Amino acid sequence: MTALLSVRDVEIDFGGIRALQGISFDVQRGEICGLIGPNGAGKTSLFNAISRVYPVDRGSIHFDGRDITALPANRIIALGIARTLQNVGLFSTLSVKDNVLLGAHHRVRPGFIKAILGRGLAGTVADPEAEACALLHDLGLGEVRDHLAGGLPFGTLKRIELARALISHPRFLMLDEPANGLSHGEVDELADVILQVRKRYDLTVLIVEHHMRMLMRISDHVVVLENGLKIADGAPAEVKADAKVAAAYLGSAA
Amino acid sequence: MNVVIKPRPPLAARVIFAAVLAVLFLYVIPFAIPNYLVSQLATVLVFAIAIIGINLVTGYGGAITLGHAAFVALGSYTTAILVVSYGWNPYATIPVAAGLSWLAGWCLGFPALRLQGLYLAMGTLVLSITVPALLKRFDGFTGGVQGLNVGNPESPVKWLDDSQWIYFVCLAVAAILYFVAARILSGPLRRAMVTARDNHLVAAVLGVDRAPLATATFAMSSLYAGVAGSLYAMIVGFVSPDTFNVMLSLSLFVGAVVGGITSIGGAIVGAMFIQFVPTWASDIDVSLGGLVFGVALIVTLVILPSGIGGLVGRLYDRACVRLGWTEAAQDERDERQTAGSIQNEPA
Ligand SMILES: Nc1ncnc2c1ncn2[C@@H]1O[C@H](COP(=O)(O)OP(=O)(O)OP(=O)(O)O)[C@@H](O)[C@H]1O
Ligand SMILES: [Mg+2]
């Protein structure tokens, strides 16, 4: 069977800054793939390439055997690719629950006629409210469900984004620094949550994280970027032992 | 406080509130105030309909439009031409006006979407500058500068005079369109609109397709303007090109801001404002009439960005909290029963 995600020779240029230079790697079904690298290495750009937010200048991206390199960004989530954003993309004027329900947009497919005529007449899919509540509860967010997202602590927001990604029923989950803003105890807890949701929903995970201990613990496979280049790709233990990786991290004083 | 307040006043309070509204709109306005004010209040309802259209496109669509008078004109002239040249029943022209302005909004919304922010404002402004000229140019159809004499529809009921009758027609249409807007702005469609308005990146990631959503919003908002125009032709009994000038577009926009750009309930307040305040101001001093708009716009944006509707909404929420009329506690209990837990699952 082919890999679930297959990235080949991907390049992204930002008028001179080469954010990604010929990146190739595979993510196998069911695995947790860690993506690390110093600041500015291109990790978020790679996420944006996969979710089609940034145009890819060269190379190809295949998901489940299908070439998605030229798909518009808004078609990606329906394929089963969900992601969270590094600096959080929640809406401060909506409640936590409404923010989570946004993740089900592509399932509910709201429109004017459906909204006006209502469920019975237009055959609308109902909001998965119960599912949202259950997810929030499972992620320890039951208490803030009816709060506005604005003003909650950063770590809480990252979890809300995780819930929003999960309600989209993904097969492939991309997390951009999910442990950012968490305390040490919370980081371990988050690692358990990630392992559990992978198992429960049969997910494949691509995760960017600066928390090395956590990442090495949960990843089956780690890819290392530096200045837009892939410098290592292998099992956590191999990558940890790699001299180039050590140099990259020492060099950037991370 | 960051908790979302879900006000749930007890049944008695809701019944009393509904009764007060009913007495106000069904008795006081049509029967207990001087007759000349009745048709002015019918006009207020018509402005409120057009302003709800602006709430949709600007408040939730995030697009500033200064061209709503163009769609009001389309609705007015549809009614006028069908009544005058083809002898239609005026009420039958309302759905035609609605359909045509929806269609026009859809066609214009399509390119308009590509115009972001200021450019859209400029484009729609140009549209409303052009419309009176166009109406004068095609005078074979529109009656040119002379306009068209539609006549006021006669009251079919003995105990209502003509202005009371048209008031009730406007009230019925406004009520329907208010509830339609309330449905549009609830649930998943509202969330999608907020997403598309506030964060394009997240909208894309969540699969919200902004282009068709924005086109549909623009079209729906034009429909509101068109229906308003159709009713306006019946109230005034006469349409002429210069009614639908840039000033009308601007005052509708100011009305939307004063009432609260995201508050469809505030539309009625904004409509009262544009109907009465400039006239009162002109009585004091002629130049004050125009000045009032600019001042109101700036004052609202600076001290009350969510408008009067937003302010009333906040006060209402606060009152409900003080009175214990919220439903959050109830929900918390339900949730514990429905939720399973990942944490408890065997690893
Ligand atoms: N939209 C953009 N326009 C211009 N340059 C960009 C853009 N996005 C990213 N870059 C540049 O591309 C490079 C890689 O950035 P990227 O955000 O992918 O790094 P990262 O690995 O996610 O870093 P961090 O750990 O700080 O999140 C950086 O030099 C950044 O300045
Ligand atoms: Mg990043």
Side-chain angles (χ1 to χ4, degrees):
Chain A
M1 216 202 253
T2 53
L4 183 62
L5 179 81
S6 174
V7 175
R8 284 290 164 273
D9 304 315
V10 164
E11 287 200 23
I12 292 186
D13 283 332
F14 291 112
I17 300 172
R18 299 181 68 194
L20 295 177
Q21 310 180 31
I23 301 294
S24 300
F25 70 101
D26 286 340
V27 181
Q28 304 299 331
R29 282 160 217 274
E31 77 174 2
I32 295 183
C33 175
L35 183 61
I36 61 174
N39 290 111
K43 307 178 294 294
T44 300
S45 300
L46 185 55
F47 268 35
N48 285 334
I50 297 168
S51 49
R52 306 298 319 108
V53 175
Y54 283 173
V56 172
D57 293 307
R58 197 138 5 108
S60 70
I61 301 168
H62 283 75
F63 180 74
D64 202 11
R66 175 174 178 189
D67 188 350
I68 62 167
T69 324
L71 274 189
N74 57 41
R75 300 264 305 278
I76 291 298
I77 194 166
L79 299 178
I81 302 180
R83 71 176 281 193
T84 64
L85 278 82
Q86 180 170 351
N87 39 23
V88 175
L90 296 172
F91 296 91
S92 54
T93 56
L94 296 181
S95 74
V96 168
K97 187 171 88 177
D98 279 349
N99 269 290
V100 171
L101 282 170
L102 267 172
H105 172 85
H106 66 108
R107 289 161 54 196
V108 178
R109 310 199 122 275
F112 280 81
I113 294 172
K114 287 182 191 173
I116 295 167
L117 295 183
R119 260 170 224 170
L121 287 166
T124 314
V125 180
D127 258 354
E129 300 226 17
E131 200 181 333
C133 293
L135 266 170
L136 283 169
H137 183 270
D138 287 352
L139 294 172
L141 297 165
E143 305 234 308
V144 296
R145 190 188 65 184
D146 290 317
H147 286 236
L148 293 180
L152 292 172
F154 198 69
T156 309
L157 298 179
K158 295 238 101 166
R159 278 182 172 234
I160 298 168
E161 263 208 315
L162 177 61
R164 182 172 75 185
L166 289 175
I167 207 171
S168 73
H169 291 179
R171 283 189 288 161
F172 185 58
L173 179 63
M174 302 198 288
L175 304 173
D176 200 345
E177 303 195 11
N180 203 346
L182 299 187
S183 70
H184 268 293
E186 288 172 328
V187 171
D188 291 335
E189 208 179 298
L190 179 70
D192 292 334
V193 169
I194 293 170
L195 290 170
Q196 279 154 358
V197 294
R198 163 177 66 170
K199 195 172 156 135
R200 186 179 203 180
Y201 302 107
D202 203 9
L203 293 176
T204 304
V205 181
L206 179 62
I207 173 172
V208 170
E209 195 38 80
H210 285 295
H211 259 276
M212 220 40 82
R213 194 168 49 83
M214 174 228 197
L215 192 100
M216 292 297 177
R217 183 184 135 212
I218 64 173
S219 299
D220 301 301
H221 155 209
V222 176
V223 173
V224 189
L225 300 184
E226 188 197 11
N227 288 332
L229 288 164
K230 182 171 96 171
I231 58 169
D233 184 346
E238 286 171 42
V239 167
K240 243 191 268 187
D242 193 303
K244 265 195 286 184
V245 177
Y249 273 87
L250 284 177
S252 74
Chain B
M1 259 213 329
N2 285 318
V3 186
V4 178
I5 305 302
K6 280 191 246 161
R8 273 269 156 221
L11 190 62
R14 274 181 280 169
V15 168
I16 290 171
F17 182 66
V20 169
L21 277 188
V23 169
L24 180 65
F25 281 104
L26 299 176
Y27 176 73
V28 176
I29 295 176
F31 298 110
I33 62 173
N35 207 275
Y36 73 95
L37 271 175
V38 176
S39 68
Q40 290 194 8
L41 282 156
T43 314
V44 166
L45 291 172
V46 164
F47 284 154
I49 294 172
I51 288 174
I52 291 176
I54 295 176
N55 290 146
L56 287 172
V57 74
T58 305
Y60 291 88
I64 290 181
T65 162
L66 300 173
H68 251 49
F71 299 101
V72 177
L74 180 60
S76 270
Y77 272 90
T78 302
T79 292
I81 291 169
L82 286 177
V83 169
V84 174
S85 310
Y86 298 92
W88 278 47
N89 176 324
Y91 312 115
T93 67
I94 299 176
V96 181
L100 276 182
S101 17
W102 183 88
L103 195 66
W106 202 89
C107 295
L108 280 170
F110 206 70
L113 285 169
R114 268 118 199 123
L115 301 176
Q116 301 273 319
L118 205 55
Y119 297 100
L120 180 64
M122 306 260 291
T124 49
L125 188 64
V126 168
L127 179 68
S128 57
I129 292 171
T130 325
V131 160
L134 277 178
L135 290 171
K136 289 173 196 164
R137 170 73 187 73
F138 294 99
D139 51 354
F141 227 6
T142 63
V145 197
Q146 269 87 50
L148 290 169
N149 210 335
V150 190
N152 305 93
E154 271 171 40
S155 168
V157 226
K158 257 204 320 276
W159 43 277
L160 291 177
D161 68 23
D162 290 354
S163 56
Q164 287 166 330
W165 166 253
I166 196 69
Y167 166 82
F168 277 112
V169 171
C170 293
L171 184 64
V173 175
I176 293 169
L177 290 182
Y178 174 84
F179 284 109
V180 166
R183 290 195 69 113
I184 290 170
L185 297 177
S186 67
L189 185 58
R190 175 206 178 89
R191 288 194 299 265
M193 289 169 101
V194 169
T195 307
R197 180 192 69 191
D198 290 351
N199 194 327
H200 296 183
L201 171 70
V202 175
V205 166
L206 294 174
V208 178
D209 200 351
R210 279 172 41 236
L213 184 62
T215 311
T217 308
F218 201 86
M220 187 51 86
S221 130
S222 308
L223 179 148
Y224 275 71
V227 172
S230 171
L231 292 171
Y232 188 77
M234 293 183 216
I235 297 174
V236 180
F238 178 75
V239 296
S240 72
D242 288 318
T243 313
F244 309 102
N245 58 11
V246 182
M247 200 53 205
L248 178 62
S249 286
L250 291 177
S251 35
L252 288 173
F253 191 80
V254 171
V257 172
V258 170
I261 197 72
T262 57
S263 163
I264 55 172
I268 191 89
V269 180
M272 301 266 265
F273 177 86
I274 60 178
Q275 169 72 359
F276 294 116
V277 175
T279 322
W280 292 339
S282 305
D283 286 348
I284 302 168
D285 188 304
V286 184
S287 58
L288 212 57
L291 190 68
V292 143
F293 276 122
V295 173
L297 186 66
I298 290 165
V299 167
T300 313
L301 288 176
V302 172
I303 65 170
L304 210 61
S306 57
I308 294 171
L311 176 70
V312 171
R314 271 200 306 282
L315 293 176
Y316 172 70
D317 284 352
R318 211 171 291 169
C320 284
V321 173
R322 192 150 307 168
L323 293 164
W325 292 350
T326 58
E327 73 174 6
Q330 175 65 37
D331 274 2
E332 219 64 67
R333 218 174 307 132
D334 295 346
E335 179 210 316
R336 251 172 251 137
Q337 288 160 3
T338 51
S341 172
I342 297 180
Q343 257 85 356
N344 298 339
E345 210 167 73

